[in-house]
């Protein structure tokens, strides 16, 4: 809800961290995060370290006062609320303006308005915001209290006792039971598992719902804290917000052990599938990683608002002009009559009442002019529509309410609603020109399905008809894999034939590699039903690995158990135990992972899987050349089908090799300094001279409705760019299947290795694209973007080329080329490059950019773009946390932009113009009257009416219209995506409209002022009566003006418009019923005369006729698309509507009703 | 913020056991309101509608205009400027001196000829021109507190009853009024309570415009044509210092108020304009019609090369 971000400073920090902790998540488990963070992997110095004495909170806390475990997300206490809240509120320029005006008015010489009247608007706004803040803070207080009073088992006097979370201290030993949440960041000491493994779910922290394994150190596993004292010292780094990094070492019994991110349990995570875990608290309360990561959404400013600020400056110049005119005229008037001032009956400079004449309230010519100027600023203050800023916020909240509740934006599958995380940029959704999309998880489901395999040069991709997830009996239980996998009958046949024949042997090894070479944790789902068949769920960090493990299970190689030391694979009904001697995790440098298995037949084998490029470099190419070529050919085919490929290799280690590796591995994994680098080196040494086994191909399924959505976006004139980490072939094939690329397009592919070649290919490409656009014979000169659409060009560029292009002078060339292309596909790009590409466009055009993604690697791009959209899908919460809007599916982008974006933009654009007009017309009426009071700023309209004008008389209708008005129905907007172009062309708000509105304003104010002026000239009318007439006339006029522009009149709109007019009558009556005001009873006298009502009628008509005529002529003879579509909506037959339904259904998906 | 992450962490797999039990369905409830589908009418400015509205306005406005013009014409108004005439010839060049001394005789007699029959009630006004009663210093210098307290009936009902009852006290006596050395106006009888000093009350209702009238009295009988009225004016108020004009006005009244033809003319003008526009639009419509809601008028259909499909 906060538009102002108190964590502004932290955001940039967060962004940096986000980039650092970005990882290649696709292919394997993550590793080497620590190394990514700090190149120099230093020993933690004593100064930077936090010393935690095990089970000794007193000693741990004596040197530094570590934070306790109570948390505070609330911002205020009862006493600090008033000053702090006011301080925060006055960060807004608008409020300061209000304040200055109110203070000016308190000076006796300038007191135009009474004290109450002048403070009221400010007080009103401040108190509304304060009440809202107070309510939000009260809710935070309440949730804090609940959180702080939860109970945990803490070791006190050799016994685990329950303690409130807020009383937990650093150094205390805690015991957490299964399914409990960790109260603070804990270093794991021991668990119920003898191997010291604990499974944790981190869904609260990063949204990843799969289980992660954490390990206790061997040295502490066997300790039972209740019985024997554990003494030890943990030296760990200072609290930081990197949830994937932890560096520490622990001294237990004289031994020094190093601790890493796999040894720490973080606050907010839950213990799963482990009966209990014991650990020592190292970070508490606000110093926990979870709390350090809880910063608000980034604050962005909408494009429209930025533009509006420019017009606001024009208005303030206009205000200055008005005030100057008044003070100059007043100066001339005073100068002209300077001899008469003493005796003018209505001026009376000298006070003759008390003896010698003295100046009475007269400060000399110069000062009088300055005072006049300041007074006119006070009187004309609402020329600057301060209330507009507050109205805009309310409107955005209302718009967000409807977006969140829109059923079209609800994702049934993940049970997630649309989320509005940033409330400042709703209207930007209506002007998006570029969409940058991630591929995996965004365009595709990130739900991998094993499709084909190439084993030993034979392709098994035919006849995938049988779906299998056969149950298998294991240890008296019948296990059934949770996912069905389509299998190839031929391969199934082979896999069952044992490993005696040569072909079957290779199949056996390949399937074993599928089942073993991963970090999957098999979990038996405990359902309450008594069915003997239990579901087997493979939990893993990479969806590819899950797909492969399920595939292996379908072919009879079922992974059933994993501990830290061994895995159990049920091979064709036979339980086999493999010792996991070592595991080299996936990292983005090697792009492969390997596992060293001690097989039941006492051989030691290393299984390696990885990306094709990295694998072919470590496969011994001298062996089985034919097989390698065949596999390469298959890989090519798979890629072109849009499948994700992995290559598998194997090598048997002889004893000496194994010993050598084992020593190196032991040394590396216990090393304190540069562990990851050492491990990588060890891995590189063992992962070579491999024998090729084959390759797997996994289908990354497109999300529902993606091709239709892309089609719609393109028709709407939005350029879609896809930025993916995948390889070029995969990216292109996904491009085709998602209709991003079509056969009509000419593709330009840029793959370069150096700056020179990049430049050359860019220049060539530019020539080609120019030629293409020229040969298509463009006769219209509507700009490059349209020209590109005639003969569409697609640009495909890879990460390596981008390395040379981004941040160099070639950027200019790339931009020029890219704007000529209707589609840009960037493959093999690193997360930072994604942000770089967004910046490339954002910094060079005024067009709006939108980035959509789901993973941690999209965070930088999401934050860089004008609008960031997160897919709250499977891959964690980071993208959502960094985004402005979050939703469940890519296809929701269509209703979000085309429908809500369009509405929001139209509403906000109109609202700004209307507010400018509404305030200016009132100010101008005041101004005209000033001319007839010899420039002394007497107002006929009472001060209370001028204050209430923008708060009560006219405030509500514009807000309601800003939230509810719809120029076109959802159906029409989806039927004609081109209508979105109104936002691109800035039809709802532009300089021309602003000036037209201002001219209209001028005319309307003249009409309002002059009709009563002439009608009552030389009559006995008094100031208050004519003031009431003007008040009512202006209010009725501006409300009818709004009424004229409303496209949809629901009962709410009716109630608000007519209600406002009635409310104004009531308010004016009440003000005139107060005897101390000079206008006492004026309205009752004047409303009795026919003249009053005739004036009112004449004013409204005379003021609105020009607008009415122009509006009609414009709409009828130069209709914009929106107008035609609206007419079609109203007058065209329902036959067309039926067509629409058929057309739009694929985009909308199944109607959720 | 942890709590927030929990509530929004919809990314979990639905079928993991913990997730299923602890998750409530977040599907928004359908209502026409939340889906922004409230029944509504969608007005569109069609030529028929626009032309009809102009004709209606024209038909309504012109008769009103004629009626008010007629009423205004039938108001008989006599305006006599007296500030010039009421200065004796020897003071003509020194009008300020004349008005400021208490020695001169301020009484002045004027004869007014009634040109036409004036039906009762005939209102007597004095009119001031170029007098900024709405000047800030003037408005600010009045003190409502000084004037206020309790009530009674006034001089021929010229003041607002509400003013008399609530604003001007009956036990306040104008002792201090114009007692200074700067004389240039009338004097009040200090023995009458303020609430009965109706002339003062009328005067204190600040005029809206620099050219204004104040009601002085009513003549409750018809004045026949060619009657001669003799008015004795005490020329007290100093308008000479600022070149203001003082006039005496006798006027009958009508439903439209005093003699002012502006509103009638304005109504006729607006009505006429509307009828004129209606006729224009009819012609324009007949000459160059456009079918409403024809998709072929959409920009991308008019300019087929502009968009690719």
């Amino acid at each position: 809800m906060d538009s102002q971000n108190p964590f502004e400073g932290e955001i940039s920090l967060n962004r940096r961290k986000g980039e650092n902790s970005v990882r290649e998540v696709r292919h394997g488990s993550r590793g080497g995060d620590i190394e990514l963070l700090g190149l120099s992997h230093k020993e933690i110095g004593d100064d930077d370290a936090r010393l935690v004495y095990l089970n000794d909170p007193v000693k741990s806390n004596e040197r530094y006062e570590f934070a306790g475990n109570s948390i505070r997300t609330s911002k205020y206490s009862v006493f600090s609320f008033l000053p702090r809240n006011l301080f925060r509120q006055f960060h807004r320029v608008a409020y300061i303006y209000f304040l200055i005006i109110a203070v000016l008015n308190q000076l006796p010489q300038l007191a135009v308005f009474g004290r109450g009247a002048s403070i009221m608007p400010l007080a009103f706004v401040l108190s509304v915001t304060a009440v809202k803040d107070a309510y939000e803070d009260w809710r935070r207080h309440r949730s804090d209290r609940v959180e702080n009073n939860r109970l945990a088992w803490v070791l006190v006097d050799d016994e685990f006792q329950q303690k409130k979370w807020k009383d937990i201290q650093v150094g205390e030993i805690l015991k957490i039971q299964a399914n409990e949440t960790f109260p603070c960041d804990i270093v794991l000491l021991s668990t119920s598992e003898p191997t010291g493994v604990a499974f944790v779910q981190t869904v609260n922290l990063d949204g990843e719902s799969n289980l992660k394994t954490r390990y206790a150190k061997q040295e502490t596993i066997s300790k039972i804290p209740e019985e024997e004292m554990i003494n030890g010292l943990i030296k760990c780094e200072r609290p930081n917000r990197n949830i994937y990094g932890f560096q520490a070492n622990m001294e237990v019994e004289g031994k020094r052990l190093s601790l890493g991110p796999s040894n720490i349990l973080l606050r907010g995570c839950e213990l799963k599938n482990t009966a209990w875990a014991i650990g020592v608290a190292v970070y508490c309360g606000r110093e926990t990683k979870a709390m350090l990561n809880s910063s608000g959404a980034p604050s962005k400013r909408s494009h429209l608002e930025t533009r509006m600020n420019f017009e606001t400056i024009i208005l303030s110049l206009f205000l200055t002009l008005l005030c100057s005119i008044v003070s100059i005229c007043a100066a001339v008037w005073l100068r002209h009559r300077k001899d008469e001032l003493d005796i003018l009956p209505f001026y009376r400079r000298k006070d003759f009442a008390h003896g010698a004449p003295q100046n009475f309230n007269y400060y000399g010519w110069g000062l009088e002019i300055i005072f006049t100027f300041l007074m006119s600023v006070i009187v004309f203050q609402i020329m600057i529509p301060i209330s507009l800023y507050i109205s805009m916020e309310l409107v955005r909240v209302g718009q967000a309410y409807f977006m969140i509740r829109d059923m079209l934006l609800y994702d049934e599958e993940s049970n997630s609603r649309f989320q509005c995380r940033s409330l400042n940029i709703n209207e930007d959704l209506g002007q998006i020109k570029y969409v940058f999309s991630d591929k995996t998880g965004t365009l595709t489901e990130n739900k991998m399905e094993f499709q084909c395999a190439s084993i030993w040069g034979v392709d098994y991709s035919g006849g995938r008809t049988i779906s299998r997830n056969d149950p298998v009996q294991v240890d008296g239980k019948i296990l059934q894999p949770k996912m069905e996998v389509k299998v190839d009958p031929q391969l199934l046949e082979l896999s069952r034939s044992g490993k005696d024949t040569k072909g079957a042997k290779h199949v056996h090894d390949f399937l074993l590699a599928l089942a073993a070479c991963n970090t999957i944790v098999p979990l038996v789902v405990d359902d309450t039903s008594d069915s003997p068949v239990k579901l087997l769920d493979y939990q893993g960090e990479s969806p590819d690995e899950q797909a492969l493990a399920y595939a292996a299970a379908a072919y009879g190689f079922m992974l059933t158990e994993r501990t830290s030391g061994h895995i159990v694979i049920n091979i064709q009904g036979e339980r086999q135990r493999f010792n996991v001697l070592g595991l080299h995790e996936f990292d983005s440098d090697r792009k492969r992972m390997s596992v060293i298995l001690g097989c039941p037949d006492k051989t030691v084998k290393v299984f390696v899987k990885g990306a094709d490029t990295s694998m072919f470099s470590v496969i011994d190419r001298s062996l089985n050349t034919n097989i390698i070529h065949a596999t390469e050919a298959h890989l090519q085919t798979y890629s072109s089908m849009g499948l994700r490929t992995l290559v598998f290799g194997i090598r048997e280690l002889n004893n000496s090799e194994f010993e050598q590796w084992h020593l190196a591995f032991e040394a590396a994994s216990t090393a304190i300094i540069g562990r990851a680098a050492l491990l990588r080196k060890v891995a590189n040494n063992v992962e070579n001279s491999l024998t090729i086994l084959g390759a797997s191909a996994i289908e990354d399924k497109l999300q529902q409705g993606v091709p239709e959505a892309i089609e719609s976006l393109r028709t709407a004139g939005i350029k879609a760019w896809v930025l993916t980490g995948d390889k070029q072939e995969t990216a292109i094939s996904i491009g085709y299947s998602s209709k991003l690329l079509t056969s009509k397009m000419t593709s330009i592919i840029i793959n370069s290795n150096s700056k020179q070649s990049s430049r050359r290919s860019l220049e060539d490409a530019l020539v080609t694209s120019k030629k293409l656009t020229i040969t298509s014979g463009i006769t219209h000169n509507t700009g490059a973007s349209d020209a590109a659409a005639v003969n569409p060009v697609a640009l495909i560029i890879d990460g390596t080329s981008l390395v040379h292009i981004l941040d160099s002078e070639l950027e200019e060339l790339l931009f020029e080329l890219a704007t000529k292309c209707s589609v840009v596909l960037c493959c093999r790009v690193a997360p930072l490059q994604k942000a770089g590409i967004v910046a490339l466009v954002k910094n060079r055009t005024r067009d709006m950019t939108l980035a959509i993604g789901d993973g941690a690697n999209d965070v930088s791009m999401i934050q860089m773009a004008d609008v960031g959209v997160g897919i709250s899908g499977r891959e964690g919460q980071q993208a959502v946390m960094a985004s402005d809007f979050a939703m469940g599916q890519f296809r929701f982008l269509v209703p979000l932009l085309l429908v809500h974006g369009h509405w929001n933009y139209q509403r906000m654009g109109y609202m700004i113009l209307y507010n400018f007009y509404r305030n200016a017309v009132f100010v101008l009426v005041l101004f005209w009257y000033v001319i007839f009071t010899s420039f002394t700023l007497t107002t006929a309209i009472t001060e209370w009416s001028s204050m209430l004008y923008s708060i009560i008389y006219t405030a509500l209708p514009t807000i309601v219209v800003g939230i509810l008005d719809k120029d076109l129905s959802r159906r029409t907007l989806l039927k004609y995506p081109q209508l979105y172009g109104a936002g691109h062309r800035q039809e709802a708000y532009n300089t021309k409209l602003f000036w037209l509105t201002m001219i209209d304003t001028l005319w309307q104010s003249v009409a309002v002022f002059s009709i009563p002026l002439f009608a009552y000239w030389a009559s006995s009318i008094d100031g208050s009566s004519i003031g009431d007439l003007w008040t009512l006339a202006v209010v009725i006029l501006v409300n009818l003006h709004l009424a004229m522009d409303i496209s949809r009149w629901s009962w709410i709109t009716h109630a608000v418009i007519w209600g406002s007019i009635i409310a104004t009558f009531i308010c004016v009556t009440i003000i005139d019923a107060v005897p101390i005001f000079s206008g006492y009873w004026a309205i009752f006298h004047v409303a009795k005369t026919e003249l009053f009502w005739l004036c009112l009628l004449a004013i409204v008509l005379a003021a609105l006729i020009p607008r009415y005529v122009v509006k009609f002529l414009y709409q009828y003879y130069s209709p914009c698309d929106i107008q035609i579509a609206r007419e079609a909506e109203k007058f065209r037959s329902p036959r067309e509507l039926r067509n629409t339904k058929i057309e739009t259904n694929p985009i909308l998906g199944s109607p959720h009703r | 913020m942890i709590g927030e992450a929990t509530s929004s962490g919809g990314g979990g797999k639905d079928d993991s056991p913990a997730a299923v039990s602890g998750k409530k369905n977040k599907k928004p409830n359908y209502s026409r309101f939340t889906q922004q589908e409230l029944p509504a009418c969608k007005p569109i400015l069609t030529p028929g509608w626009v032309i009809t509205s102009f004709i209606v306005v024209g038909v309504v406005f012109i008769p009103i205009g004629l009626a008010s013009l007629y009423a205004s014409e039938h108001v008989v108004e006599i305006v006599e400027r007296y500030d010039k005439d009421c200065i004796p010839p020897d003071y003509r060049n020194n009008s300020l001196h004349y008005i400021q001394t208490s020695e001169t005789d301020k009484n002045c007699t004027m004869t007014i000829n009634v040109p036409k029959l004036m039906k009762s009630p005939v209102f007597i006004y004095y009119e001031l021109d170029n007098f900024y009663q709405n000047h800030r210093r003037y408005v600010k210098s009045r003190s409502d507190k000084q004037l206020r307290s309790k009530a009674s009936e006034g001089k021929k009902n010229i003041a607002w009853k509400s003013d008399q009852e609530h604003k001007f006290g009956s036990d306040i006596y104008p002792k201090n009024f114009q007692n200074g050395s700067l004389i240039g106006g009338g004097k009040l009888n200090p023995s009458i309570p303020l609430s009965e000093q109706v002339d003062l009350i009328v005067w204190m209702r600040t005029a809206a415009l620099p050219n204004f009238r104040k009601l002085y009295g009513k003549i409750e009988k018809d004045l026949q044509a060619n009657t001669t009225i003799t008015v004795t004016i005490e020329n007290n108020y100093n308008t000479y210092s600022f070149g203001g004009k003082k006039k005496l006005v006798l006027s009958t009244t009508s439903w439209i108020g005093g003699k002012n033809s502006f509103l009638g003319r304005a109504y006729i003008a607006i009505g006429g304009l509307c009828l004129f526009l209606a006729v224009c639009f009819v012609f324009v419509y007949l000459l160059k019609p456009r079918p409403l809601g024809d998709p072929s008028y959409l920009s991308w259909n008019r300019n087929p090369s502009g968009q690719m499909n």
Side-chain angles (χ1 to χ4, degrees), chain A residues 300-313 389 392 396 424-425 427-428 431 846 848 866 912 916 989:
Chain A
K300 289 178 181 168
R301 211 183 211 174
S302 92
H303 191 62
L304 206 57
E305 200 174 324
T306 320
R307 275 202 57 109
M308 183 188 99
N309 285 340
F310 175 72
E311 265 84 35
T312 312
I313 291 169
Y389 289 90
M392 278 169 84
R396 288 190 187 119
N424 291 334
I425 52 173
E427 58 272 17
D428 279 353
Q431 290 187 288
R846 301 184 66 189
M848 303 292 296
D866 294 306
I912 294 170
F916 283 161
Y989 184 81

Side-chain angles (χ1 to χ4, degrees), chain A residues 360 405 410 413-415 417 907 929 934 937-938 966 1015 1022-1023 1049 1077 1080 1094 1116 1121 1127 1130, chain B residues 10 14 25-26 35-36 41-42 134-137 166-167 205-206 208 255 260 267 284 290 293 299:
Chain A
F360 173 75
R405 255 147 249 265
Y410 166 76
E413 211 171 315
S414 61
N415 187 28
R417 282 186 187 188
R907 290 163 177 168
Y929 186 64
S934 70
L937 299 158
T938 326
K966 290 159 56 176
D1022 65 303
W1049 284 85
F1077 293 150
Y1080 180 58
L1094 286 181
Y1116 197 69
D1121 295 337
E1127 291 164 4
K1130 188 163 178 175
Chain B
D14 285 349
N25 189 4
K26 283 194 273 185
Q35 301 310 305
Q36 305 191 53
C41 83
K42 294 173 271 183
N134 55 13
H135 194 282
R136 162 154 235 98
R137 288 176 71 92
H166 299 288
K167 285 192 98 81
R205 266 265 147 205
T206 319
W255 62 272
N260 189 333
Y267 264 79
V284 167
R290 172 175 76 85
S299 62

Side-chain angles (χ1 to χ4, degrees), chain A residues 552-620:
Chain A
Y555 287 109
F557 285 65
M558 190 191 283
L559 177 70
T560 56
E561 193 182 327
R562 172 185 295 273
T563 66
S564 54
H566 70 270
I567 53 175
V568 174
I569 300 177
N570 191 309
I571 299 176
Q572 307 299 1
E574 184 191 341
R575 186 175 188 275
Q576 294 201 17
R577 186 187 147 117
F578 296 82
N579 288 322
V580 180
L581 302 168
L583 187 108
H584 293 289
E585 291 195 339
F586 182 88
D587 71 51
S588 46
D589 278 4
R590 280 158 51 233
K591 293 205 177 82
R592 57 182 181 261
M593 71 163 290
S594 59
V595 58
I596 287 114
L597 287 187
C599 301
D601 57 0
K602 303 289 179 228
T603 54
V604 176
K605 285 174 183 157
V606 52
F607 289 91
V608 189
K609 80 157 193 263
D612 47 1
T613 46
S614 90
M615 287 299 289
F616 282 120
S617 67
V618 291
I619 281 172
D620 192 344

Side-chain angles (χ1 to χ4, degrees), chain A residues 887-929:
Chain A
M887 55 196 188
Q889 298 269 335
F890 178 80
R891 67 169 193 274
F892 294 166
L893 208 53
V894 174
L896 178 67
L897 297 185
L898 265 46
V899 179
H900 286 286
H902 176 92
W903 284 343
N904 291 346
Y905 169 70
Q906 297 287 340
R907 290 163 177 168
M908 200 57 93
Y910 179 74
M911 178 170 158
I912 294 170
L913 283 177
Y914 175 76
N915 275 265
F916 283 161
Y917 147 80
R918 183 193 73 177
N919 288 11
V921 80
F922 189 76
V923 167
L924 283 173
V925 168
L926 292 174
F927 173 74
W928 301 130
Y929 186 64

